[in-house]
Each structure stands twice: as C-alpha cells, then as structure tokens.
Amino acid sequence: MRDVPIPLNAPWETHTVKRNIAPLKFYYDMQCEAAKVDSWYGPCWEPCLSMVSLTWNNISAPSVDPSPVLPFWDKMRYLLHGRFSMLCKEVRTTMLASPDPYNSTETVEWCWENFGLDWLIGEIRIRSCLSIYVRTASKYDDSRILYLPQVRWRITLDWVCLGDPHDHHAATPCSPSRLPHCATEHDSYRAFRSKCLDLSFCFDVDAADAYGDPKEAHSSKRPHMLLYANTFRCFEFLMNTLTLTNRPVKKGPLFGSPSRSKPQLSKHFR
C-alpha cells in the first residue's frame, strides 16, 4: 500500500488515502478455433510498437515501485497465468526480409495447415503441417524450400532466476515510503527477474500418421527441402533485417520519458 495526499480547498484539510500498488493479474483458460489467421512481422515496425508502448503509459501508468523496470517477457510472466489452446485450419506467418515496411516482394512465408497450439506455463506444443516459401521478385518466387507433414513440436522455456521462475507471488511491489533498509539497490523482483532463457526444442515428423501407409505416400507428400543460391541470398537479407538497429522514438528528458536501453529477447538466450 502507499499513501496518496489529496489537497482540498478551505476549510477542509488535506486528506490521505491508501492505494494498492499491486497490479491486476489475469488467470485464464482460453480455447480458440479459427478458419484462417494471417500475421506479418518485421523489425522495421519496432519504432511503431515502441510508440504504442509509450502511449500505453497514458492509460496504465508505470508502477511507483522504485525497482528497475521489468523487461517485457518478465512482465508478461508476472501478469498472465493460464493455458491457451487454439485450432486453426490455416495459419500464415510472413517475415519481412527487407527494412522497408511496405515491402511485399522480399519475404519468407510460413504456412501451417491444420494448426494446433497448446500454450502452457513454460511450455508450448504445436502440431501441424508446415510449409516454408520464399517470396522474391525473381524466377524462384513461390518456391517451397521446406515441407514437413504432421510435425509435432514441443518448446520448453526454462527461465533462469534466483528463485522459482513460476512463483509470481514472491514478487510484491513496495511503496517508496516503506522501503526496507538495505545497502544495495532495492529490487522487489530480484528473485523473479530472469537472468537468461534456456530453450529446448523437441520435434518429430511422421508422414505415416498423416497419410496412412508410408509406402503409399506420394514422394511430394514426404518431408523434403529445396534450396537455391537465390534462397541463401534471401536468408542473408532476412538475417541483416533481423539484426537491424532501429532509430529511437521520442525517448529522453525532452519528451518526459526516461531514456533507458530496451533489452532484446534475442540477446537473452543462453
């Protein structure tokens, strides 16, 4: 709790009310079924997302707790708890391989058919047929570079913390006027804050499960990969785009916001 003074006009005196600084946490068990889902992403859109994040502070103000700000992934672990399941006939994810946000000719497209997702705490399970296409302005356009029928993919997220990475009750915000006496910098999320992330991938492909007898399965229905020299150039463009350094967006004392470096999840992997 924290004390908030409320000044009133004469003849009344200033009153003090107590407010709770603990954020609202969401506990859910959600199930979703869709026919088609399309999503696009490119690092060139990071400035736009940063602007949305700064604008969101006008709706949900940052905590008054003097602890260092939690990164995005730790904050989501702190606020969201539950299970999310999804069934979709077709999911298409497109990665931009160019720093131009209006680019539509240099992309890498992931197509998931009969997509099934089960997102638990610290674990993600996916079951689907996966096809990866390269969209380029060349004769190799619309070439399928990878096909995996009936792939089962399990992702385990091991957040390395001082305490239990799933014990969010151990992290409690503290009012600035009630800080414990300690010589070091106060951090209410010290035991919950992750030092790094260990990822574990486990997947298998079973063509017989999807098409019956593997002897009767057509050759085009089996897992295969097809690469051209132009494909590697497109991957090089994609890697250069993913490692692109974006321009800062309205940060610093001039705009009334602290200029702190934004940590990247790609550098959080161990």
Side-chain angles (χ1 to χ4, degrees), residues 2-113:
R2 68 185 179 102
D3 297 331
V4 180
I6 301 180
L8 301 176
N9 296 329
W12 294 280
E13 300 178 352
T14 299
H15 285 258
T16 302
V17 297
K18 293 185 178 296
R19 296 192 62 183
N20 186 10
I21 66 174
L24 292 178
K25 298 182 181 181
F26 297 90
Y27 301 85
Y28 56 86
D29 187 359
M30 301 176 60
Q31 298 180 3
C32 173
E33 187 172 353
K36 185 178 181 180
V37 175
D38 287 343
S39 62
W40 290 65
Y41 175 75
C44 50
W45 291 343
E46 279 293 334
C48 177
L49 298 179
S50 299
M51 191 65 200
V52 173
S53 178
L54 291 176
T55 307
W56 182 256
N57 292 337
N58 299 328
I59 302 175
S60 177
S63 175
V64 297
D65 185 284
S67 304
V69 180
L70 279 176
F72 175 78
W73 47 87
D74 285 342
K75 189 174 183 180
M76 292 300 100
R77 290 194 304 119
Y78 183 64
L79 298 179
L80 305 179
H81 311 278
R83 178 177 183 176
F84 175 71
S85 302
M86 179 181 181
L87 292 176
C88 187
K89 194 69 176 178
E90 180 183 359
V91 175
R92 184 169 56 187
T93 306
T94 305
M95 299 288 296
L96 296 183
S98 170
D100 182 9
Y102 302 100
N103 162 63
S104 60
T105 58
E106 300 293 334
T107 61
V108 177
E109 187 176 278
W110 297 54
C111 296
W112 308 79
E113 298 179 0

Side-chain angles (χ1 to χ4, degrees), residues 3 25 27 45 96 99 103 112 117 125 150 162 165 204 206 212-213 219 222 229 231 246 254:
D3 297 331
K25 298 182 181 181
Y27 301 85
W45 291 343
L96 296 183
N103 162 63
W112 308 79
L117 171 68
R125 301 174 184 175
Q150 203 64 23
L162 293 177
D204 61 89
D206 190 357
D213 189 358
S219 59
R222 297 173 183 171
T231 306
N246 294 291
L254 181 62

Side-chain angles (χ1 to χ4, degrees), residues 64-231:
V64 297
D65 185 284
S67 304
V69 180
L70 279 176
F72 175 78
W73 47 87
D74 285 342
K75 189 174 183 180
M76 292 300 100
R77 290 194 304 119
Y78 183 64
L79 298 179
L80 305 179
H81 311 278
R83 178 177 183 176
F84 175 71
S85 302
M86 179 181 181
L87 292 176
C88 187
K89 194 69 176 178
E90 180 183 359
V91 175
R92 184 169 56 187
T93 306
T94 305
M95 299 288 296
L96 296 183
S98 170
D100 182 9
Y102 302 100
N103 162 63
S104 60
T105 58
E106 300 293 334
T107 61
V108 177
E109 187 176 278
W110 297 54
C111 296
W112 308 79
E113 298 179 0
N114 298 322
F115 178 79
L117 171 68
D118 197 9
W119 192 334
L120 308 171
I121 298 179
E123 186 179 39
I124 302 175
R125 301 174 184 175
I126 297 176
R127 182 167 181 170
S128 176
C129 293
L130 174 62
S131 299
I132 301 180
Y133 296 88
V134 173
R135 309 295 188 186
T136 61
S138 67
K139 63 179 180 180
Y140 300 104
D141 182 30
D142 203 25
S143 62
R144 184 168 64 180
I145 61 176
L146 179 65
Y147 175 68
L148 298 176
Q150 203 64 23
V151 58
R152 289 185 290 267
W153 189 8
R154 185 179 63 189
I155 307 172
T156 304
L157 298 90
D158 185 12
W159 302 93
V160 181
C161 307
L162 293 177
D164 186 356
H166 305 303
D167 185 12
H168 58 95
H169 297 288
T172 305
C174 185
S175 173
S177 60
R178 293 185 172 90
L179 292 179
H181 297 284
C182 55
T184 59
E185 182 182 6
H186 175 75
D187 189 1
S188 302
Y189 312 100
R190 188 182 307 276
F192 186 78
R193 189 185 304 271
S194 62
K195 297 181 178 179
C196 55
L197 172 61
D198 290 341
L199 282 180
S200 175
F201 297 113
C202 180
F203 67 93
D204 61 89
V205 180
D206 190 357
D209 187 19
Y211 304 101
D213 189 358
K215 297 181 180 179
E216 298 179 0
H218 193 268
S219 59
S220 61
K221 300 293 185 179
R222 297 173 183 171
H224 64 269
M225 178 181 295
L226 184 62
L227 298 175
Y228 296 99
N230 187 75
T231 306

Side-chain angles (χ1 to χ4, degrees), residues 215-267:
K215 297 181 180 179
E216 298 179 0
H218 193 268
S219 59
S220 61
K221 300 293 185 179
R222 297 173 183 171
H224 64 269
M225 178 181 295
L226 184 62
L227 298 175
Y228 296 99
N230 187 75
T231 306
F232 289 102
R233 286 195 294 269
C234 185
F235 284 161
E236 184 180 2
F237 293 153
L238 179 61
M239 292 303 299
N240 294 336
T241 304
L242 293 178
T243 56
L244 180 68
T245 301
N246 294 291
R247 296 179 179 179
V249 178
K250 290 190 176 181
K251 293 182 180 179
L254 181 62
F255 301 99
S257 59
S259 57
R260 62 175 70 94
S261 60
K262 181 180 178 182
Q264 297 182 1
L265 182 61
S266 58
K267 297 182 179 180

